[in-house]
mmCIF file with all atom_site columns, all heavy atoms in Angstrom:
data_model
loop_
_atom_site.group_PDB
_atom_site.id
_atom_site.type_symbol
_atom_site.label_atom_id
_atom_site.label_alt_id
_atom_site.label_comp_id
_atom_site.label_asym_id
_atom_site.label_entity_id
_atom_site.label_seq_id
_atom_site.pdbx_PDB_ins_code
_atom_site.Cartn_x
_atom_site.Cartn_y
_atom_site.Cartn_z
_atom_site.occupancy
_atom_site.B_iso_or_equiv
_atom_site.pdbx_formal_charge
_atom_site.auth_seq_id
_atom_site.auth_comp_id
_atom_site.auth_asym_id
_atom_site.auth_atom_id
_atom_site.pdbx_PDB_model_num
ATOM 1   N N   . ARG J 1 1  ? -197.540 55.861 39.312 1.00 0.00 ? 1256 ARG J N   1
ATOM 2   C CA  . ARG J 1 1  ? -197.124 57.242 39.540 1.00 0.00 ? 1256 ARG J CA  1
ATOM 3   C C   . ARG J 1 1  ? -196.193 57.698 38.426 1.00 0.00 ? 1256 ARG J C   1
ATOM 4   O O   . ARG J 1 1  ? -195.469 56.902 37.834 1.00 0.00 ? 1256 ARG J O   1
ATOM 5   C CB  . ARG J 1 1  ? -196.400 57.362 40.892 1.00 0.00 ? 1256 ARG J CB  1
ATOM 6   C CG  . ARG J 1 1  ? -197.224 56.899 42.076 1.00 0.00 ? 1256 ARG J CG  1
ATOM 7   C CD  . ARG J 1 1  ? -196.611 57.425 43.381 1.00 0.00 ? 1256 ARG J CD  1
ATOM 8   N NE  . ARG J 1 1  ? -195.191 57.093 43.488 1.00 0.00 ? 1256 ARG J NE  1
ATOM 9   C CZ  . ARG J 1 1  ? -194.724 56.180 44.342 1.00 0.00 ? 1256 ARG J CZ  1
ATOM 10  N NH1 . ARG J 1 1  ? -195.552 55.509 45.117 1.00 0.00 ? 1256 ARG J NH1 1
ATOM 11  N NH2 . ARG J 1 1  ? -193.425 55.955 44.421 1.00 0.00 ? 1256 ARG J NH2 1
ATOM 12  N N   . GLN J 1 2  ? -196.208 59.008 38.135 1.00 0.00 ? 1257 GLN J N   1
ATOM 13  C CA  . GLN J 1 2  ? -195.381 59.543 37.059 1.00 0.00 ? 1257 GLN J CA  1
ATOM 14  C C   . GLN J 1 2  ? -193.899 59.314 37.321 1.00 0.00 ? 1257 GLN J C   1
ATOM 15  O O   . GLN J 1 2  ? -193.130 59.038 36.395 1.00 0.00 ? 1257 GLN J O   1
ATOM 16  C CB  . GLN J 1 2  ? -195.658 61.046 36.879 1.00 0.00 ? 1257 GLN J CB  1
ATOM 17  C CG  . GLN J 1 2  ? -197.002 61.363 36.249 1.00 0.00 ? 1257 GLN J CG  1
ATOM 18  C CD  . GLN J 1 2  ? -197.074 60.952 34.789 1.00 0.00 ? 1257 GLN J CD  1
ATOM 19  O OE1 . GLN J 1 2  ? -196.078 60.627 34.165 1.00 0.00 ? 1257 GLN J OE1 1
ATOM 20  N NE2 . GLN J 1 2  ? -198.282 60.951 34.236 1.00 0.00 ? 1257 GLN J NE2 1
ATOM 21  N N   . ASP J 1 3  ? -193.470 59.420 38.589 1.00 0.00 ? 1258 ASP J N   1
ATOM 22  C CA  . ASP J 1 3  ? -192.054 59.214 38.874 1.00 0.00 ? 1258 ASP J CA  1
ATOM 23  C C   . ASP J 1 3  ? -191.643 57.763 38.660 1.00 0.00 ? 1258 ASP J C   1
ATOM 24  O O   . ASP J 1 3  ? -190.463 57.459 38.452 1.00 0.00 ? 1258 ASP J O   1
ATOM 25  C CB  . ASP J 1 3  ? -191.718 59.664 40.302 1.00 0.00 ? 1258 ASP J CB  1
ATOM 26  C CG  . ASP J 1 3  ? -192.510 58.889 41.352 1.00 0.00 ? 1258 ASP J CG  1
ATOM 27  O OD1 . ASP J 1 3  ? -193.683 58.585 41.096 1.00 0.00 ? 1258 ASP J OD1 1
ATOM 28  O OD2 . ASP J 1 3  ? -191.949 58.594 42.420 1.00 0.00 ? 1258 ASP J OD2 1
ATOM 29  N N   . THR J 1 4  ? -192.620 56.856 38.694 1.00 0.00 ? 1259 THR J N   1
ATOM 30  C CA  . THR J 1 4  ? -192.342 55.452 38.403 1.00 0.00 ? 1259 THR J CA  1
ATOM 31  C C   . THR J 1 4  ? -192.216 55.233 36.896 1.00 0.00 ? 1259 THR J C   1
ATOM 32  O O   . THR J 1 4  ? -191.320 54.519 36.430 1.00 0.00 ? 1259 THR J O   1
ATOM 33  C CB  . THR J 1 4  ? -193.452 54.558 38.964 1.00 0.00 ? 1259 THR J CB  1
ATOM 34  O OG1 . THR J 1 4  ? -193.538 54.746 40.381 1.00 0.00 ? 1259 THR J OG1 1
ATOM 35  C CG2 . THR J 1 4  ? -193.197 53.093 38.672 1.00 0.00 ? 1259 THR J CG2 1
ATOM 36  N N   . VAL J 1 5  ? -193.087 55.879 36.131 1.00 0.00 ? 1260 VAL J N   1
ATOM 37  C CA  . VAL J 1 5  ? -193.088 55.710 34.679 1.00 0.00 ? 1260 VAL J CA  1
ATOM 38  C C   . VAL J 1 5  ? -191.794 56.228 34.062 1.00 0.00 ? 1260 VAL J C   1
ATOM 39  O O   . VAL J 1 5  ? -191.308 55.693 33.052 1.00 0.00 ? 1260 VAL J O   1
ATOM 40  C CB  . VAL J 1 5  ? -194.310 56.426 34.067 1.00 0.00 ? 1260 VAL J CB  1
ATOM 41  C CG1 . VAL J 1 5  ? -194.285 56.368 32.544 1.00 0.00 ? 1260 VAL J CG1 1
ATOM 42  C CG2 . VAL J 1 5  ? -195.606 55.803 34.586 1.00 0.00 ? 1260 VAL J CG2 1
ATOM 43  N N   . VAL J 1 6  ? -191.195 57.249 34.674 1.00 0.00 ? 1261 VAL J N   1
ATOM 44  C CA  . VAL J 1 6  ? -189.959 57.812 34.133 1.00 0.00 ? 1261 VAL J CA  1
ATOM 45  C C   . VAL J 1 6  ? -188.850 56.764 34.055 1.00 0.00 ? 1261 VAL J C   1
ATOM 46  O O   . VAL J 1 6  ? -187.959 56.845 33.198 1.00 0.00 ? 1261 VAL J O   1
ATOM 47  C CB  . VAL J 1 6  ? -189.514 59.020 34.999 1.00 0.00 ? 1261 VAL J CB  1
ATOM 48  C CG1 . VAL J 1 6  ? -188.123 59.490 34.596 1.00 0.00 ? 1261 VAL J CG1 1
ATOM 49  C CG2 . VAL J 1 6  ? -190.503 60.169 34.844 1.00 0.00 ? 1261 VAL J CG2 1
ATOM 50  N N   . VAL J 1 7  ? -188.898 55.756 34.908 1.00 0.00 ? 1262 VAL J N   1
ATOM 51  C CA  . VAL J 1 7  ? -187.892 54.693 34.904 1.00 0.00 ? 1262 VAL J CA  1
ATOM 52  C C   . VAL J 1 7  ? -187.839 53.997 33.538 1.00 0.00 ? 1262 VAL J C   1
ATOM 53  O O   . VAL J 1 7  ? -186.809 53.445 33.148 1.00 0.00 ? 1262 VAL J O   1
ATOM 54  C CB  . VAL J 1 7  ? -188.200 53.671 36.025 1.00 0.00 ? 1262 VAL J CB  1
ATOM 55  C CG1 . VAL J 1 7  ? -187.272 52.471 35.958 1.00 0.00 ? 1262 VAL J CG1 1
ATOM 56  C CG2 . VAL J 1 7  ? -188.095 54.334 37.381 1.00 0.00 ? 1262 VAL J CG2 1
ATOM 57  N N   . LEU J 1 8  ? -188.954 54.028 32.806 1.00 0.00 ? 1263 LEU J N   1
ATOM 58  C CA  . LEU J 1 8  ? -189.036 53.323 31.533 1.00 0.00 ? 1263 LEU J CA  1
ATOM 59  C C   . LEU J 1 8  ? -188.265 54.007 30.417 1.00 0.00 ? 1263 LEU J C   1
ATOM 60  O O   . LEU J 1 8  ? -187.947 53.379 29.404 1.00 0.00 ? 1263 LEU J O   1
ATOM 61  C CB  . LEU J 1 8  ? -190.505 53.187 31.107 1.00 0.00 ? 1263 LEU J CB  1
ATOM 62  C CG  . LEU J 1 8  ? -191.496 52.623 32.121 1.00 0.00 ? 1263 LEU J CG  1
ATOM 63  C CD1 . LEU J 1 8  ? -192.896 52.641 31.536 1.00 0.00 ? 1263 LEU J CD1 1
ATOM 64  C CD2 . LEU J 1 8  ? -191.097 51.216 32.536 1.00 0.00 ? 1263 LEU J CD2 1
ATOM 65  N N   . HIS J 1 9  ? -187.989 55.301 30.560 1.00 0.00 ? 1264 HIS J N   1
ATOM 66  C CA  . HIS J 1 9  ? -187.496 56.092 29.432 1.00 0.00 ? 1264 HIS J CA  1
ATOM 67  C C   . HIS J 1 9  ? -186.229 55.529 28.804 1.00 0.00 ? 1264 HIS J C   1
ATOM 68  O O   . HIS J 1 9  ? -186.119 55.449 27.576 1.00 0.00 ? 1264 HIS J O   1
ATOM 69  C CB  . HIS J 1 9  ? -187.278 57.544 29.867 1.00 0.00 ? 1264 HIS J CB  1
ATOM 70  C CG  . HIS J 1 9  ? -188.553 58.296 30.017 1.00 0.00 ? 1264 HIS J CG  1
ATOM 71  N ND1 . HIS J 1 9  ? -188.605 59.664 30.199 1.00 0.00 ? 1264 HIS J ND1 1
ATOM 72  C CD2 . HIS J 1 9  ? -189.844 57.884 30.018 1.00 0.00 ? 1264 HIS J CD2 1
ATOM 73  C CE1 . HIS J 1 9  ? -189.863 60.052 30.301 1.00 0.00 ? 1264 HIS J CE1 1
ATOM 74  N NE2 . HIS J 1 9  ? -190.637 58.986 30.200 1.00 0.00 ? 1264 HIS J NE2 1
ATOM 75  N N   . SER J 1 10 ? -185.259 55.149 29.616 1.00 0.00 ? 1265 SER J N   1
ATOM 76  C CA  . SER J 1 10 ? -183.986 54.704 29.040 1.00 0.00 ? 1265 SER J CA  1
ATOM 77  C C   . SER J 1 10 ? -184.094 53.356 28.334 1.00 0.00 ? 1265 SER J C   1
ATOM 78  O O   . SER J 1 10 ? -183.199 52.973 27.567 1.00 0.00 ? 1265 SER J O   1
ATOM 79  C CB  . SER J 1 10 ? -182.908 54.630 30.122 1.00 0.00 ? 1265 SER J CB  1
ATOM 80  O OG  . SER J 1 10 ? -183.269 53.706 31.133 1.00 0.00 ? 1265 SER J OG  1
ATOM 81  N N   . LEU J 1 11 ? -185.195 52.634 28.580 1.00 0.00 ? 1266 LEU J N   1
ATOM 82  C CA  . LEU J 1 11 ? -185.406 51.349 27.909 1.00 0.00 ? 1266 LEU J CA  1
ATOM 83  C C   . LEU J 1 11 ? -186.201 51.496 26.623 1.00 0.00 ? 1266 LEU J C   1
ATOM 84  O O   . LEU J 1 11 ? -186.353 50.523 25.876 1.00 0.00 ? 1266 LEU J O   1
ATOM 85  C CB  . LEU J 1 11 ? -186.132 50.382 28.841 1.00 0.00 ? 1266 LEU J CB  1
ATOM 86  C CG  . LEU J 1 11 ? -185.291 49.718 29.925 1.00 0.00 ? 1266 LEU J CG  1
ATOM 87  C CD1 . LEU J 1 11 ? -186.193 48.988 30.929 1.00 0.00 ? 1266 LEU J CD1 1
ATOM 88  C CD2 . LEU J 1 11 ? -184.280 48.747 29.332 1.00 0.00 ? 1266 LEU J CD2 1
ATOM 89  N N   . THR J 1 12 ? -186.722 52.687 26.359 1.00 0.00 ? 1267 THR J N   1
ATOM 90  C CA  . THR J 1 12 ? -187.614 52.873 25.217 1.00 0.00 ? 1267 THR J CA  1
ATOM 91  C C   . THR J 1 12 ? -186.992 53.708 24.108 1.00 0.00 ? 1267 THR J C   1
ATOM 92  O O   . THR J 1 12 ? -187.703 54.145 23.204 1.00 0.00 ? 1267 THR J O   1
ATOM 93  C CB  . THR J 1 12 ? -188.931 53.528 25.672 1.00 0.00 ? 1267 THR J CB  1
ATOM 94  O OG1 . THR J 1 12 ? -188.636 54.745 26.374 1.00 0.00 ? 1267 THR J OG1 1
ATOM 95  C CG2 . THR J 1 12 ? -189.726 52.605 26.571 1.00 0.00 ? 1267 THR J CG2 1
ATOM 96  N N   . ASP J 1 13 ? -185.683 53.950 24.183 1.00 0.00 ? 1268 ASP J N   1
ATOM 97  C CA  . ASP J 1 13 ? -185.015 54.646 23.084 1.00 0.00 ? 1268 ASP J CA  1
ATOM 98  C C   . ASP J 1 13 ? -183.766 53.861 22.692 1.00 0.00 ? 1268 ASP J C   1
ATOM 99  O O   . ASP J 1 13 ? -183.611 52.696 23.061 1.00 0.00 ? 1268 ASP J O   1
ATOM 100 C CB  . ASP J 1 13 ? -184.701 56.105 23.450 1.00 0.00 ? 1268 ASP J CB  1
ATOM 101 C CG  . ASP J 1 13 ? -183.831 56.246 24.696 1.00 0.00 ? 1268 ASP J CG  1
ATOM 102 O OD1 . ASP J 1 13 ? -183.066 55.304 24.997 1.00 0.00 ? 1268 ASP J OD1 1
ATOM 103 O OD2 . ASP J 1 13 ? -183.910 57.284 25.370 1.00 0.00 ? 1268 ASP J OD2 1
ATOM 104 N N   . TYR J 1 14 ? -182.873 54.501 21.962 1.00 0.00 ? 1269 TYR J N   1
ATOM 105 C CA  . TYR J 1 14 ? -181.707 53.802 21.420 1.00 0.00 ? 1269 TYR J CA  1
ATOM 106 C C   . TYR J 1 14 ? -180.807 53.209 22.495 1.00 0.00 ? 1269 TYR J C   1
ATOM 107 O O   . TYR J 1 14 ? -180.054 52.259 22.234 1.00 0.00 ? 1269 TYR J O   1
ATOM 108 C CB  . TYR J 1 14 ? -180.893 54.771 20.558 1.00 0.00 ? 1269 TYR J CB  1
ATOM 109 C CG  . TYR J 1 14 ? -180.202 55.855 21.356 1.00 0.00 ? 1269 TYR J CG  1
ATOM 110 C CD1 . TYR J 1 14 ? -178.889 55.702 21.793 1.00 0.00 ? 1269 TYR J CD1 1
ATOM 111 C CD2 . TYR J 1 14 ? -180.877 57.027 21.696 1.00 0.00 ? 1269 TYR J CD2 1
ATOM 112 C CE1 . TYR J 1 14 ? -178.254 56.687 22.538 1.00 0.00 ? 1269 TYR J CE1 1
ATOM 113 C CE2 . TYR J 1 14 ? -180.260 58.019 22.441 1.00 0.00 ? 1269 TYR J CE2 1
ATOM 114 C CZ  . TYR J 1 14 ? -178.957 57.838 22.862 1.00 0.00 ? 1269 TYR J CZ  1
ATOM 115 O OH  . TYR J 1 14 ? -178.346 58.815 23.614 1.00 0.00 ? 1269 TYR J OH  1
ATOM 116 N N   . ARG J 1 15 ? -180.874 53.731 23.730 1.00 0.00 ? 1270 ARG J N   1
ATOM 117 C CA  . ARG J 1 15 ? -179.983 53.237 24.784 1.00 0.00 ? 1270 ARG J CA  1
ATOM 118 C C   . ARG J 1 15 ? -180.323 51.814 25.200 1.00 0.00 ? 1270 ARG J C   1
ATOM 119 O O   . ARG J 1 15 ? -179.445 50.996 25.429 1.00 0.00 ? 1270 ARG J O   1
ATOM 120 C CB  . ARG J 1 15 ? -180.056 54.164 26.002 1.00 0.00 ? 1270 ARG J CB  1
ATOM 121 C CG  . ARG J 1 15 ? -179.483 55.543 25.756 1.00 0.00 ? 1270 ARG J CG  1
ATOM 122 C CD  . ARG J 1 15 ? -179.792 56.461 26.930 1.00 0.00 ? 1270 ARG J CD  1
ATOM 123 N NE  . ARG J 1 15 ? -181.213 56.794 27.004 1.00 0.00 ? 1270 ARG J NE  1
ATOM 124 C CZ  . ARG J 1 15 ? -181.765 57.527 27.964 1.00 0.00 ? 1270 ARG J CZ  1
ATOM 125 N NH1 . ARG J 1 15 ? -181.003 57.978 28.961 1.00 0.00 ? 1270 ARG J NH1 1
ATOM 126 N NH2 . ARG J 1 15 ? -183.059 57.805 27.949 1.00 0.00 ? 1270 ARG J NH2 1
ATOM 127 N N   . ARG J 1 16 ? -181.601 51.524 25.367 1.00 0.00 ? 1271 ARG J N   1
ATOM 128 C CA  . ARG J 1 16 ? -182.059 50.216 25.834 1.00 0.00 ? 1271 ARG J CA  1
ATOM 129 C C   . ARG J 1 16 ? -181.274 49.774 27.076 1.00 0.00 ? 1271 ARG J C   1
ATOM 130 O O   . ARG J 1 16 ? -180.762 48.661 27.160 1.00 0.00 ? 1271 ARG J O   1
ATOM 131 C CB  . ARG J 1 16 ? -181.953 49.162 24.723 1.00 0.00 ? 1271 ARG J CB  1
ATOM 132 C CG  . ARG J 1 16 ? -183.050 49.300 23.691 1.00 0.00 ? 1271 ARG J CG  1
ATOM 133 C CD  . ARG J 1 16 ? -182.877 48.355 22.527 1.00 0.00 ? 1271 ARG J CD  1
ATOM 134 N NE  . ARG J 1 16 ? -182.846 46.956 22.913 1.00 0.00 ? 1271 ARG J NE  1
ATOM 135 C CZ  . ARG J 1 16 ? -183.933 46.196 23.122 1.00 0.00 ? 1271 ARG J CZ  1
ATOM 136 N NH1 . ARG J 1 16 ? -185.135 46.720 23.020 1.00 0.00 ? 1271 ARG J NH1 1
ATOM 137 N NH2 . ARG J 1 16 ? -183.799 44.920 23.435 1.00 0.00 ? 1271 ARG J NH2 1
ATOM 138 N N   . THR J 1 17 ? -181.219 50.668 28.030 1.00 0.00 ? 1272 THR J N   1
ATOM 139 C CA  . THR J 1 17 ? -180.506 50.390 29.273 1.00 0.00 ? 1272 THR J CA  1
ATOM 140 C C   . THR J 1 17 ? -181.407 50.660 30.462 1.00 0.00 ? 1272 THR J C   1
ATOM 141 O O   . THR J 1 17 ? -182.379 51.421 30.371 1.00 0.00 ? 1272 THR J O   1
ATOM 142 C CB  . THR J 1 17 ? -179.236 51.249 29.400 1.00 0.00 ? 1272 THR J CB  1
ATOM 143 O OG1 . THR J 1 17 ? -179.599 52.643 29.364 1.00 0.00 ? 1272 THR J OG1 1
ATOM 144 C CG2 . THR J 1 17 ? -178.250 50.946 28.289 1.00 0.00 ? 1272 THR J CG2 1
ATOM 145 N N   . LEU J 1 18 ? -181.057 50.044 31.593 1.00 0.00 ? 1273 LEU J N   1
ATOM 146 C CA  . LEU J 1 18 ? -181.776 50.279 32.836 1.00 0.00 ? 1273 LEU J CA  1
ATOM 147 C C   . LEU J 1 18 ? -180.748 50.424 33.957 1.00 0.00 ? 1273 LEU J C   1
ATOM 148 O O   . LEU J 1 18 ? -180.094 49.452 34.336 1.00 0.00 ? 1273 LEU J O   1
ATOM 149 C CB  . LEU J 1 18 ? -182.718 49.112 33.149 1.00 0.00 ? 1273 LEU J CB  1
ATOM 150 C CG  . LEU J 1 18 ? -183.512 49.232 34.456 1.00 0.00 ? 1273 LEU J CG  1
ATOM 151 C CD1 . LEU J 1 18 ? -184.468 50.418 34.396 1.00 0.00 ? 1273 LEU J CD1 1
ATOM 152 C CD2 . LEU J 1 18 ? -184.281 47.948 34.732 1.00 0.00 ? 1273 LEU J CD2 1
ATOM 153 N N   . PRO J 1 19 ? -180.561 51.640 34.471 1.00 0.00 ? 1274 PRO J N   1
ATOM 154 C CA  . PRO J 1 19 ? -179.601 51.817 35.567 1.00 0.00 ? 1274 PRO J CA  1
ATOM 155 C C   . PRO J 1 19 ? -180.201 51.370 36.901 1.00 0.00 ? 1274 PRO J C   1
ATOM 156 O O   . PRO J 1 19 ? -181.338 51.703 37.226 1.00 0.00 ? 1274 PRO J O   1
ATOM 157 C CB  . PRO J 1 19 ? -179.347 53.330 35.557 1.00 0.00 ? 1274 PRO J CB  1
ATOM 158 C CG  . PRO J 1 19 ? -180.583 53.931 34.966 1.00 0.00 ? 1274 PRO J CG  1
ATOM 159 C CD  . PRO J 1 19 ? -181.135 52.913 34.009 1.00 0.00 ? 1274 PRO J CD  1
ATOM 160 N N   . LEU J 1 20 ? -179.420 50.601 37.643 1.00 0.00 ? 1275 LEU J N   1
ATOM 161 C CA  . LEU J 1 20 ? -179.806 50.214 39.001 1.00 0.00 ? 1275 LEU J CA  1
ATOM 162 C C   . LEU J 1 20 ? -179.031 51.101 39.961 1.00 0.00 ? 1275 LEU J C   1
ATOM 163 O O   . LEU J 1 20 ? -177.861 50.841 40.282 1.00 0.00 ? 1275 LEU J O   1
ATOM 164 C CB  . LEU J 1 20 ? -179.494 48.733 39.250 1.00 0.00 ? 1275 LEU J CB  1
ATOM 165 C CG  . LEU J 1 20 ? -180.105 47.727 38.271 1.00 0.00 ? 1275 LEU J CG  1
ATOM 166 C CD1 . LEU J 1 20 ? -179.746 46.300 38.683 1.00 0.00 ? 1275 LEU J CD1 1
ATOM 167 C CD2 . LEU J 1 20 ? -181.614 47.895 38.186 1.00 0.00 ? 1275 LEU J CD2 1
ATOM 168 N N   . GLU J 1 21 ? -179.670 52.167 40.405 1.00 0.00 ? 1276 GLU J N   1
ATOM 169 C CA  . GLU J 1 21 ? -178.967 53.161 41.205 1.00 0.00 ? 1276 GLU J CA  1
ATOM 170 C C   . GLU J 1 21 ? -178.436 52.579 42.509 1.00 0.00 ? 1276 GLU J C   1
ATOM 171 O O   . GLU J 1 21 ? -177.366 52.974 42.990 1.00 0.00 ? 1276 GLU J O   1
ATOM 172 C CB  . GLU J 1 21 ? -179.895 54.348 41.492 1.00 0.00 ? 1276 GLU J CB  1
ATOM 173 C CG  . GLU J 1 21 ? -180.291 55.133 40.237 1.00 0.00 ? 1276 GLU J CG  1
ATOM 174 C CD  . GLU J 1 21 ? -181.172 56.315 40.558 1.00 0.00 ? 1276 GLU J CD  1
ATOM 175 O OE1 . GLU J 1 21 ? -181.443 56.528 41.769 1.00 0.00 ? 1276 GLU J OE1 1
ATOM 176 O OE2 . GLU J 1 21 ? -181.588 57.029 39.628 1.00 0.00 ? 1276 GLU J OE2 1
ATOM 177 N N   . LYS J 1 22 ? -179.152 51.642 43.086 1.00 0.00 ? 1277 LYS J N   1
ATOM 178 C CA  . LYS J 1 22 ? -178.752 51.123 44.393 1.00 0.00 ? 1277 LYS J CA  1
ATOM 179 C C   . LYS J 1 22 ? -177.557 50.181 44.322 1.00 0.00 ? 1277 LYS J C   1
ATOM 180 O O   . LYS J 1 22 ? -176.884 49.949 45.320 1.00 0.00 ? 1277 LYS J O   1
ATOM 181 C CB  . LYS J 1 22 ? -179.937 50.419 45.055 1.00 0.00 ? 1277 LYS J CB  1
ATOM 182 C CG  . LYS J 1 22 ? -181.060 51.369 45.444 1.00 0.00 ? 1277 LYS J CG  1
ATOM 183 C CD  . LYS J 1 22 ? -182.188 50.642 46.157 1.00 0.00 ? 1277 LYS J CD  1
ATOM 184 C CE  . LYS J 1 22 ? -183.278 51.614 46.569 1.00 0.00 ? 1277 LYS J CE  1
ATOM 185 N NZ  . LYS J 1 22 ? -184.400 50.933 47.271 1.00 0.00 ? 1277 LYS J NZ  1
ATOM 186 N N   . THR J 1 23 ? -177.300 49.612 43.144 1.00 0.00 ? 1278 THR J N   1
ATOM 187 C CA  . THR J 1 23 ? -176.159 48.704 43.005 1.00 0.00 ? 1278 THR J CA  1
ATOM 188 C C   . THR J 1 23 ? -175.057 49.272 42.121 1.00 0.00 ? 1278 THR J C   1
ATOM 189 O O   . THR J 1 23 ? -173.945 48.750 42.113 1.00 0.00 ? 1278 THR J O   1
ATOM 190 C CB  . THR J 1 23 ? -176.606 47.358 42.395 1.00 0.00 ? 1278 THR J CB  1
ATOM 191 O OG1 . THR J 1 23 ? -177.007 47.570 41.029 1.00 0.00 ? 1278 THR J OG1 1
ATOM 192 C CG2 . THR J 1 23 ? -177.765 46.754 43.174 1.00 0.00 ? 1278 THR J CG2 1
ATOM 193 N N   . GLY J 1 24 ? -175.357 50.316 41.364 1.00 0.00 ? 1279 GLY J N   1
ATOM 194 C CA  . GLY J 1 24 ? -174.388 50.875 40.440 1.00 0.00 ? 1279 GLY J CA  1
ATOM 195 C C   . GLY J 1 24 ? -174.299 50.134 39.125 1.00 0.00 ? 1279 GLY J C   1
ATOM 196 O O   . GLY J 1 24 ? -173.488 50.468 38.269 1.00 0.00 ? 1279 GLY J O   1
ATOM 197 N N   . GLU J 1 25 ? -175.162 49.147 38.924 1.00 0.00 ? 1280 GLU J N   1
ATOM 198 C CA  . GLU J 1 25 ? -175.130 48.358 37.690 1.00 0.00 ? 1280 GLU J CA  1
ATOM 199 C C   . GLU J 1 25 ? -175.948 49.033 36.599 1.00 0.00 ? 1280 GLU J C   1
ATOM 200 O O   . GLU J 1 25 ? -176.981 49.647 36.860 1.00 0.00 ? 1280 GLU J O   1
ATOM 201 C CB  . GLU J 1 25 ? -175.680 46.954 37.943 1.00 0.00 ? 1280 GLU J CB  1
ATOM 202 C CG  . GLU J 1 25 ? -175.652 46.062 36.713 1.00 0.00 ? 1280 GLU J CG  1
ATOM 203 C CD  . GLU J 1 25 ? -176.283 44.702 36.953 1.00 0.00 ? 1280 GLU J CD  1
ATOM 204 O OE1 . GLU J 1 25 ? -176.792 44.461 38.074 1.00 0.00 ? 1280 GLU J OE1 1
ATOM 205 O OE2 . GLU J 1 25 ? -176.284 43.872 36.017 1.00 0.00 ? 1280 GLU J OE2 1
#
C-alpha cells in the first residue's frame, strides 16, 4: 500500500533514519 511505502522515505535520503512512532525511538 502507498501509506506503507511512505515509511521508506526517511531512510532513502540524507537523514537515513526510521522513526518508531509507537516507542518514540
Side-chain angles (χ1 to χ4, degrees):
R1256 303 197 307 251
Q1257 288 291 348
D1258 60 323
T1259 301
V1260 175
V1261 171
V1262 174
L1263 309 177
H1264 285 190
S1265 61
L1266 282 170
T1267 55
D1268 58 26
Y1269 69 94
R1270 293 171 290 177
R1271 284 174 59 83
T1272 59
L1273 179 64
L1275 304 182
E1276 295 182 2
K1277 292 183 178 180
T1278 68
E1280 181 184 3

